[in-house]
Amino acid sequence: MVSFEDYKGREQSYVKHVLLEQYLEALIHKTASAYPKIVYVDGFAGPWQSANEDFKDTSFGIALDKLRRAKASWKERGRDVQMTALLVERNSTAFSKLQALPSKFPEIAVKPYKGDFIELIPTILKDIPHDAFAFFLIDPKGWHIPLKKLQPLLTRPKSEIIFNFMFEFINRAASMKDANIVAGLDELIPSGDWRTRLDGAHNAEERKAILTDTFSECLKKAGGYAHVCETTILRPLKDRALYCLFYATRHETGLEVFRDCQVKALETQSITRGLTKIDHAEQKTGQTELFQSLNDMNSEEVAPLLAEHRSKAELLLLEFTPTAPNAILYKKLWPLILAQCVVRKTDVNRITARLRKEGKLIFPDWELRKQVPQADYRVQRP
């Protein structure tokens, strides 16, 4: 489990790794029940600024731990799943550290690659078995990533991805007129009228929405994904987006798992930012007591956001449900909500059950003693 103590001065990475750790744990365990082989691909592995000699505070270190644990868990049940990690790094010093990993993780097939990730994509795809489920992490130090060159990887069936969209740098670059920067952004966000829309943006939030919404659509189109979700990682001491993590999947189950992990990560970010602000204030003033309330204040900063999304989910449930005698199956309805709202499926279940009691939704198939809707229930509005 990642430790906050390993992330002094890079608290935003702690939040990112909490999300990655929780998601990979659920993803690997679930997919290993259906696939004989699981492959984790880290396109920009590093390691960078690791405070742990076992690399437990790195993305690949977290992934290797989850691969190892899932393999052992399924082996106890008589299922031997082949676990593989393909790690790419172009820096010679960092790559030399990756080369030591295979002996440390004998249960996992660890294969380091030295070179440019984009150029190595054909080789990596050949090395992923056809019957494997693959998870791709694209977490570069910079932002110049040609999305179309990623397309062969993105379109691979039986795969999901997390892409780190370096928002703060991209937002700044979007206002520059340098030809190389303009060309680079056009490769990263290759479609949409986002430049024209940015010129008309009235504030920072609107500007962020334009960039992230457009990139979301570009990623969705490039990979043929059914769902793309975004999680904003804030600067530890400022209410400003540093980067945005985009998750893309073709399956409702992945969407459900990711939203669970996303909510937990946002709650972690809220607490982490509170603790970081207290520490910063104490170092600056030498006083402790005056700032204790900051922790309580910041531990609740995510609550309004989650409440807003639950309210939005309620409105969308009513909007997406047809009027009787037409109906929609619940298994078709809840993914529509999770695709647009930062809510758990359990939240949607509770909201739906309440709307039924209030007479705002009708379930002709609702069974006696059932507390929440079932997948094959028909849903209607009166």
Side-chain angles (χ1 to χ4, degrees), residues 332-344:
K332 300 287 187 181
L333 179 59
W334 69 258
L336 298 176
I337 309 305
L338 263 65
Q340 296 193 34
C341 303
V342 183
V343 292
R344 299 180 173 100

Side-chain angles (χ1 to χ4, degrees), residues 266-285:
L266 289 173
E267 292 170 345
T268 297
Q269 175 169 253
S270 181
I271 295 171
T272 299
R273 276 163 46 82
L275 293 172
T276 304
K277 287 180 180 180
I278 289 173
D279 184 60
H280 180 75
E282 289 177 357
Q283 291 184 26
K284 190 174 182 180
T285 66

Side-chain angles (χ1 to χ4, degrees), residues 310-320 337 351 355:
R310 286 193 293 270
S311 297
K312 181 181 177 181
E314 181 172 339
L315 294 174
L316 290 178
L317 277 166
L318 296 172
E319 179 182 335
F320 292 151
I337 309 305
I351 295 169
L355 291 175

Side-chain angles (χ1 to χ4, degrees), residues 348-381:
V348 178
N349 288 344
R350 285 194 292 268
I351 295 169
T352 304
R354 175 173 58 79
L355 291 175
R356 171 180 172 266
K357 288 183 178 180
E358 294 173 355
K360 296 178 181 179
L361 290 178
I362 301 171
F363 287 80
D365 311 309
W366 197 285
E367 299 163 290
L368 189 64
R369 298 189 181 88
K370 290 293 184 182
Q371 299 298 312
V372 295
Q374 305 300 300
D376 291 324
Y377 282 1
R378 290 171 293 160
V379 193
Q380 304 169 322
R381 277 192 297 118

